[in-house]
Structure formats: structure tokens, C-alpha cells
mmCIF file of all heavy atoms in Angstrom:
data_model
loop_
_atom_site.group_PDB
_atom_site.id
_atom_site.type_symbol
_atom_site.label_atom_id
_atom_site.label_comp_id
_atom_site.label_asym_id
_atom_site.label_seq_id
_atom_site.Cartn_x
_atom_site.Cartn_y
_atom_site.Cartn_z
ATOM 1 N N TYR U 1 -3.439 3.954 13.955
ATOM 2 C CA TYR U 1 -4.443 4.203 12.909
ATOM 3 C C TYR U 1 -4.699 3.116 11.889
ATOM 4 O O TYR U 1 -5.487 3.184 11.063
ATOM 5 C CB TYR U 1 -4.217 5.578 12.291
ATOM 6 C CG TYR U 1 -4.369 6.701 13.284
ATOM 7 C CD1 TYR U 1 -3.250 7.273 13.741
ATOM 8 C CD2 TYR U 1 -5.619 7.140 13.683
ATOM 9 C CE1 TYR U 1 -3.307 8.365 14.607
ATOM 10 C CE2 TYR U 1 -5.775 8.192 14.659
ATOM 11 C CZ TYR U 1 -4.560 8.788 15.052
ATOM 12 O OH TYR U 1 -4.693 9.681 16.043
ATOM 13 N N GLY U 2 -3.777 2.094 11.996
ATOM 14 C CA GLY U 2 -3.945 1.058 11.008
ATOM 15 C C GLY U 2 -2.769 0.930 10.051
ATOM 16 O O GLY U 2 -1.698 1.530 10.202
ATOM 17 N N ASP U 3 -3.001 0.028 9.040
ATOM 18 C CA ASP U 3 -1.895 -0.185 8.044
ATOM 19 C C ASP U 3 -1.679 0.898 7.002
ATOM 20 O O ASP U 3 -0.596 1.021 6.533
ATOM 21 C CB ASP U 3 -2.284 -1.514 7.257
ATOM 22 C CG ASP U 3 -2.291 -2.762 8.088
ATOM 23 O OD1 ASP U 3 -1.563 -2.685 9.137
ATOM 24 O OD2 ASP U 3 -2.875 -3.787 7.689
ATOM 25 N N LEU U 4 -2.722 1.639 6.727
ATOM 26 C CA LEU U 4 -2.567 2.781 5.710
ATOM 27 C C LEU U 4 -3.284 3.975 6.331
ATOM 28 O O LEU U 4 -4.411 3.969 6.589
ATOM 29 C CB LEU U 4 -3.250 2.247 4.456
ATOM 30 C CG LEU U 4 -3.170 3.207 3.281
ATOM 31 C CD1 LEU U 4 -1.643 3.287 2.867
ATOM 32 C CD2 LEU U 4 -3.964 2.612 2.038
ATOM 33 N N VAL U 5 -2.474 4.958 6.511
ATOM 34 C CA VAL U 5 -2.879 6.207 7.247
ATOM 35 C C VAL U 5 -2.731 7.398 6.302
ATOM 36 O O VAL U 5 -1.777 7.649 5.706
ATOM 37 C CB VAL U 5 -2.099 6.448 8.474
ATOM 38 C CG1 VAL U 5 -2.543 7.686 9.226
ATOM 39 C CG2 VAL U 5 -2.057 5.218 9.367
ATOM 40 N N ARG U 6 -3.834 8.221 6.342
ATOM 41 C CA ARG U 6 -3.834 9.442 5.517
ATOM 42 C C ARG U 6 -3.135 10.476 6.352
ATOM 43 O O ARG U 6 -3.443 10.816 7.442
ATOM 44 C CB ARG U 6 -5.212 9.952 5.186
ATOM 45 C CG ARG U 6 -5.156 11.295 4.413
ATOM 46 C CD ARG U 6 -6.512 11.648 4.066
ATOM 47 N NE ARG U 6 -6.834 11.008 2.850
ATOM 48 C CZ ARG U 6 -8.022 11.179 2.048
ATOM 49 N NH1 ARG U 6 -8.864 12.050 2.572
ATOM 50 N NH2 ARG U 6 -8.265 10.561 1.025
ATOM 51 N N PHE U 7 -2.002 11.072 5.826
ATOM 52 C CA PHE U 7 -1.245 12.057 6.432
ATOM 53 C C PHE U 7 -1.667 13.458 5.983
ATOM 54 O O PHE U 7 -1.785 14.429 6.786
ATOM 55 C CB PHE U 7 0.245 11.840 6.151
ATOM 56 C CG PHE U 7 1.171 12.882 6.701
ATOM 57 C CD1 PHE U 7 1.479 12.825 8.104
ATOM 58 C CD2 PHE U 7 1.663 13.871 5.910
ATOM 59 C CE1 PHE U 7 2.334 13.805 8.640
ATOM 60 C CE2 PHE U 7 2.585 14.851 6.493
ATOM 61 C CZ PHE U 7 2.873 14.825 7.816
ATOM 62 N N ASP U 8 -1.911 13.638 4.696
ATOM 63 C CA ASP U 8 -2.222 14.882 4.112
ATOM 64 C C ASP U 8 -2.924 14.552 2.778
ATOM 65 O O ASP U 8 -2.924 13.458 2.303
ATOM 66 C CB ASP U 8 -0.955 15.731 3.907
ATOM 67 C CG ASP U 8 -1.092 17.140 3.880
ATOM 68 O OD1 ASP U 8 -2.255 17.598 3.757
ATOM 69 O OD2 ASP U 8 -0.144 17.882 4.043
ATOM 70 N N ASP U 9 -3.254 15.574 2.093
ATOM 71 C CA ASP U 9 -3.940 15.425 0.768
ATOM 72 C C ASP U 9 -2.963 14.571 -0.167
ATOM 73 O O ASP U 9 -1.876 15.122 -0.455
ATOM 74 C CB ASP U 9 -4.338 16.650 0.145
ATOM 75 C CG ASP U 9 -5.551 17.342 0.839
ATOM 76 O OD1 ASP U 9 -6.241 16.674 1.473
ATOM 77 O OD2 ASP U 9 -5.497 18.622 0.736
ATOM 78 N N GLY U 10 -3.379 13.429 -0.589
ATOM 79 C CA GLY U 10 -2.564 12.650 -1.423
ATOM 80 C C GLY U 10 -1.393 12.030 -0.862
ATOM 81 O O GLY U 10 -0.529 11.388 -1.598
ATOM 82 N N LEU U 11 -1.133 12.139 0.355
ATOM 83 C CA LEU U 11 0.017 11.551 1.072
ATOM 84 C C LEU U 11 -0.434 10.564 2.174
ATOM 85 O O LEU U 11 -1.157 10.830 3.027
ATOM 86 C CB LEU U 11 0.907 12.621 1.682
ATOM 87 C CG LEU U 11 2.172 12.172 2.429
ATOM 88 C CD1 LEU U 11 3.141 11.432 1.417
ATOM 89 C CD2 LEU U 11 2.873 13.349 3.028
ATOM 90 N N TYR U 12 0.085 9.303 1.957
ATOM 91 C CA TYR U 12 -0.346 8.278 2.941
ATOM 92 C C TYR U 12 1.014 7.607 3.498
ATOM 93 O O TYR U 12 1.980 7.687 2.889
ATOM 94 C CB TYR U 12 -1.151 7.122 2.196
ATOM 95 C CG TYR U 12 -2.451 7.619 1.707
ATOM 96 C CD1 TYR U 12 -2.622 8.255 0.508
ATOM 97 C CD2 TYR U 12 -3.563 7.367 2.554
ATOM 98 C CE1 TYR U 12 -3.881 8.658 0.100
ATOM 99 C CE2 TYR U 12 -4.781 7.663 2.100
ATOM 100 C CZ TYR U 12 -4.930 8.449 0.924
ATOM 101 O OH TYR U 12 -6.229 8.784 0.517
ATOM 102 N N MET U 13 0.754 7.136 4.745
ATOM 103 C CA MET U 13 1.901 6.422 5.292
ATOM 104 C C MET U 13 1.478 4.909 5.491
ATOM 105 O O MET U 13 0.332 4.641 5.782
ATOM 106 C CB MET U 13 2.175 6.915 6.737
ATOM 107 C CG MET U 13 2.845 8.247 6.741
ATOM 108 S SD MET U 13 3.335 8.811 8.293
ATOM 109 C CE MET U 13 1.782 9.574 8.831
ATOM 110 N N VAL U 14 2.420 4.000 5.003
ATOM 111 C CA VAL U 14 2.137 2.678 5.039
ATOM 112 C C VAL U 14 2.815 2.070 6.260
ATOM 113 O O VAL U 14 4.140 2.156 6.353
ATOM 114 C CB VAL U 14 2.599 1.902 3.747
ATOM 115 C CG1 VAL U 14 2.238 0.538 3.671
ATOM 116 C CG2 VAL U 14 1.863 2.532 2.526
ATOM 117 N N ASN U 15 2.106 1.412 7.154
ATOM 118 C CA ASN U 15 2.674 0.798 8.318
ATOM 119 C C ASN U 15 2.797 -0.641 8.399
ATOM 120 O O ASN U 15 3.108 -1.176 9.463
ATOM 121 C CB ASN U 15 1.753 1.309 9.583
ATOM 122 C CG ASN U 15 1.755 2.739 9.753
ATOM 123 O OD1 ASN U 15 2.785 3.377 9.777
ATOM 124 N ND2 ASN U 15 0.646 3.348 10.046
ATOM 125 N N SER U 16 2.681 -1.313 7.273
ATOM 126 C CA SER U 16 2.798 -2.857 7.198
ATOM 127 C C SER U 16 3.880 -3.186 6.204
ATOM 128 O O SER U 16 3.686 -2.777 5.057
ATOM 129 C CB SER U 16 1.415 -3.401 6.855
ATOM 130 O OG SER U 16 1.476 -4.698 6.420
ATOM 131 N N PRO U 17 4.810 -3.940 6.619
ATOM 132 C CA PRO U 17 5.869 -4.369 5.660
ATOM 133 C C PRO U 17 5.238 -5.092 4.428
ATOM 134 O O PRO U 17 5.628 -5.026 3.229
ATOM 135 C CB PRO U 17 6.737 -5.275 6.451
ATOM 136 C CG PRO U 17 6.555 -4.932 7.843
ATOM 137 C CD PRO U 17 5.195 -4.424 7.871
ATOM 138 N N VAL U 18 4.230 -5.979 4.684
ATOM 139 C CA VAL U 18 3.549 -6.671 3.612
ATOM 140 C C VAL U 18 2.831 -5.696 2.640
ATOM 141 O O VAL U 18 2.934 -5.826 1.468
ATOM 142 C CB VAL U 18 2.512 -7.709 4.182
ATOM 143 C CG1 VAL U 18 1.664 -8.366 3.160
ATOM 144 C CG2 VAL U 18 3.223 -8.784 5.121
ATOM 145 N N LEU U 19 2.240 -4.654 3.187
ATOM 146 C CA LEU U 19 1.543 -3.767 2.368
ATOM 147 C C LEU U 19 2.572 -2.945 1.603
ATOM 148 O O LEU U 19 2.298 -2.529 0.449
ATOM 149 C CB LEU U 19 0.555 -2.859 3.214
ATOM 150 C CG LEU U 19 -0.310 -1.972 2.461
ATOM 151 C CD1 LEU U 19 -1.224 -2.725 1.390
ATOM 152 C CD2 LEU U 19 -1.200 -1.208 3.448
ATOM 153 N N VAL U 20 3.662 -2.536 2.193
ATOM 154 C CA VAL U 20 4.740 -1.725 1.548
ATOM 155 C C VAL U 20 5.170 -2.545 0.237
ATOM 156 O O VAL U 20 5.291 -1.999 -0.781
ATOM 157 C CB VAL U 20 5.967 -1.511 2.399
ATOM 158 C CG1 VAL U 20 7.073 -1.027 1.600
ATOM 159 C CG2 VAL U 20 5.625 -0.516 3.475
ATOM 160 N N GLU U 21 5.458 -3.814 0.421
ATOM 161 C CA GLU U 21 5.802 -4.732 -0.698
ATOM 162 C C GLU U 21 4.728 -4.704 -1.697
ATOM 163 O O GLU U 21 5.082 -4.577 -2.989
ATOM 164 C CB GLU U 21 6.166 -6.167 -0.204
ATOM 165 C CG GLU U 21 6.676 -7.025 -1.313
ATOM 166 C CD GLU U 21 6.895 -8.412 -0.794
ATOM 167 O OE1 GLU U 21 6.490 -8.803 0.190
ATOM 168 O OE2 GLU U 21 7.680 -9.113 -1.556
ATOM 169 N N GLN U 22 3.495 -4.898 -1.350
ATOM 170 C CA GLN U 22 2.441 -4.848 -2.428
ATOM 171 C C GLN U 22 2.352 -3.600 -3.147
ATOM 172 O O GLN U 22 2.199 -3.557 -4.328
ATOM 173 C CB GLN U 22 1.113 -5.161 -1.598
ATOM 174 C CG GLN U 22 -0.081 -5.148 -2.515
ATOM 175 C CD GLN U 22 -1.400 -5.485 -1.820
ATOM 176 O OE1 GLN U 22 -1.345 -5.784 -0.646
ATOM 177 N NE2 GLN U 22 -2.432 -5.371 -2.566
ATOM 178 N N VAL U 23 2.399 -2.445 -2.365
ATOM 179 C CA VAL U 23 2.344 -1.095 -3.092
ATOM 180 C C VAL U 23 3.437 -0.919 -4.127
ATOM 181 O O VAL U 23 3.268 -0.538 -5.230
ATOM 182 C CB VAL U 23 2.346 -0.034 -2.025
ATOM 183 C CG1 VAL U 23 2.607 1.310 -2.655
ATOM 184 C CG2 VAL U 23 1.052 -0.057 -1.264
ATOM 185 N N LEU U 24 4.721 -1.348 -3.626
ATOM 186 C CA LEU U 24 5.891 -1.162 -4.511
ATOM 187 C C LEU U 24 5.805 -2.049 -5.762
ATOM 188 O O LEU U 24 6.228 -1.674 -6.791
ATOM 189 C CB LEU U 24 7.203 -1.319 -3.663
ATOM 190 C CG LEU U 24 7.459 -0.302 -2.608
ATOM 191 C CD1 LEU U 24 8.721 -0.669 -1.890
ATOM 192 C CD2 LEU U 24 7.502 1.093 -3.282
ATOM 193 N N LYS U 25 5.376 -3.255 -5.554
ATOM 194 C CA LYS U 25 5.336 -4.223 -6.679
ATOM 195 C C LYS U 25 4.181 -3.879 -7.555
ATOM 196 O O LYS U 25 4.334 -3.902 -8.868
ATOM 197 C CB LYS U 25 5.327 -5.656 -6.188
ATOM 198 C CG LYS U 25 6.565 -6.183 -5.581
ATOM 199 C CD LYS U 25 6.391 -7.604 -5.254
ATOM 200 C CE LYS U 25 7.736 -8.163 -4.761
ATOM 201 N NZ LYS U 25 7.537 -9.612 -4.412
ATOM 202 N N GLU U 26 2.974 -3.746 -7.086
ATOM 203 C CA GLU U 26 1.794 -3.666 -7.885
ATOM 204 C C GLU U 26 1.428 -2.212 -8.286
ATOM 205 O O GLU U 26 0.640 -2.136 -9.281
ATOM 206 C CB GLU U 26 0.642 -4.347 -7.124
ATOM 207 C CG GLU U 26 0.838 -5.813 -6.848
ATOM 208 C CD GLU U 26 -0.240 -6.423 -6.061
ATOM 209 O OE1 GLU U 26 -1.369 -5.846 -6.031
ATOM 210 O OE2 GLU U 26 -0.053 -7.516 -5.519
ATOM 211 N N HIS U 27 1.811 -1.260 -7.667
ATOM 212 C CA HIS U 27 1.409 0.068 -7.976
ATOM 213 C C HIS U 27 2.522 1.047 -8.320
ATOM 214 O O HIS U 27 2.468 2.264 -8.262
ATOM 215 C CB HIS U 27 0.555 0.701 -6.820
ATOM 216 C CG HIS U 27 -0.560 -0.204 -6.446
ATOM 217 N ND1 HIS U 27 -1.722 -0.222 -7.262
ATOM 218 C CD2 HIS U 27 -0.824 -1.144 -5.546
ATOM 219 C CE1 HIS U 27 -2.587 -1.064 -6.718
ATOM 220 N NE2 HIS U 27 -2.027 -1.694 -5.668
ATOM 221 N N GLU U 28 3.633 0.534 -8.583
ATOM 222 C CA GLU U 28 4.940 1.322 -8.851
ATOM 223 C C GLU U 28 4.679 2.418 -9.958
ATOM 224 O O GLU U 28 5.122 3.488 -9.823
ATOM 225 C CB GLU U 28 6.075 0.349 -9.256
ATOM 226 C CG GLU U 28 7.377 1.044 -9.335
ATOM 227 C CD GLU U 28 7.638 1.730 -10.696
ATOM 228 O OE1 GLU U 28 7.085 1.207 -11.712
ATOM 229 O OE2 GLU U 28 8.413 2.695 -10.807
ATOM 230 N N ARG U 29 3.957 2.081 -10.943
ATOM 231 C CA ARG U 29 3.691 2.968 -12.050
ATOM 232 C C ARG U 29 2.924 4.195 -11.566
ATOM 233 O O ARG U 29 2.928 5.195 -12.288
ATOM 234 C CB ARG U 29 2.990 2.317 -13.245
ATOM 235 C CG ARG U 29 1.586 1.837 -12.981
ATOM 236 C CD ARG U 29 1.028 1.076 -14.075
ATOM 237 N NE ARG U 29 -0.310 0.588 -13.780
ATOM 238 C CZ ARG U 29 -0.518 -0.463 -13.053
ATOM 239 N NH1 ARG U 29 0.511 -1.303 -12.633
ATOM 240 N NH2 ARG U 29 -1.778 -0.935 -12.845
ATOM 241 N N HIS U 30 2.223 4.152 -10.503
ATOM 242 C CA HIS U 30 1.381 5.289 -9.997
ATOM 243 C C HIS U 30 2.112 6.149 -8.980
ATOM 244 O O HIS U 30 1.616 7.216 -8.647
ATOM 245 C CB HIS U 30 0.089 4.723 -9.387
ATOM 246 C CG HIS U 30 -0.722 3.906 -10.281
ATOM 247 N ND1 HIS U 30 -1.394 4.523 -11.346
ATOM 248 C CD2 HIS U 30 -0.989 2.670 -10.274
ATOM 249 C CE1 HIS U 30 -2.050 3.607 -11.866
ATOM 250 N NE2 HIS U 30 -1.824 2.413 -11.356
ATOM 251 N N LEU U 31 3.317 5.760 -8.650
ATOM 252 C CA LEU U 31 4.152 6.483 -7.568
ATOM 253 C C LEU U 31 4.874 7.596 -8.198
ATOM 254 O O LEU U 31 5.353 7.502 -9.338
ATOM 255 C CB LEU U 31 5.021 5.599 -6.840
ATOM 256 C CG LEU U 31 4.340 4.381 -6.124
ATOM 257 C CD1 LEU U 31 5.374 3.475 -5.563
ATOM 258 C CD2 LEU U 31 3.388 4.871 -5.004
ATOM 259 N N ARG U 32 4.985 8.681 -7.491
ATOM 260 C CA ARG U 32 5.887 9.778 -7.980
ATOM 261 C C ARG U 32 7.351 9.413 -7.699
ATOM 262 O O ARG U 32 7.634 8.923 -6.681
ATOM 263 C CB ARG U 32 5.499 11.054 -7.220
ATOM 264 C CG ARG U 32 4.162 11.593 -7.573
ATOM 265 C CD ARG U 32 4.048 12.915 -6.873
ATOM 266 N NE ARG U 32 2.530 13.179 -6.781
ATOM 267 C CZ ARG U 32 2.060 14.129 -6.083
ATOM 268 N NH1 ARG U 32 2.889 14.917 -5.303
ATOM 269 N NH2 ARG U 32 0.851 14.334 -6.047
ATOM 270 N N HIS U 33 8.198 9.760 -8.738
ATOM 271 C CA HIS U 33 9.578 9.481 -8.565
ATOM 272 C C HIS U 33 10.318 10.851 -8.429
ATOM 273 O O HIS U 33 10.150 11.748 -9.230
ATOM 274 C CB HIS U 33 10.161 8.776 -9.814
ATOM 275 C CG HIS U 33 9.558 7.386 -9.935
ATOM 276 N ND1 HIS U 33 10.166 6.310 -9.276
ATOM 277 C CD2 HIS U 33 8.459 6.947 -10.534
ATOM 278 C CE1 HIS U 33 9.434 5.220 -9.583
ATOM 279 N NE2 HIS U 33 8.360 5.578 -10.326
#
């Protein structure tokens, strides 16, 4: 399904190591802890 897949409402799976790094570095403040 690609690099970013919608699993459920508000829940996505990231299938690319490059995109994982980007999400963690650039969008960390938006992630739930």
C-alpha cells in the first residue's frame, strides 16, 4: 500500500526507514507518548 498506510482512525503505519526518521525528527511534538 505504500510508504504510509492508514490502519485505523488516526493510526498510520510507516513502511519506509527514511520516512520513519523524518516523522520522528520533524513531527515528534505531535506524537502521543
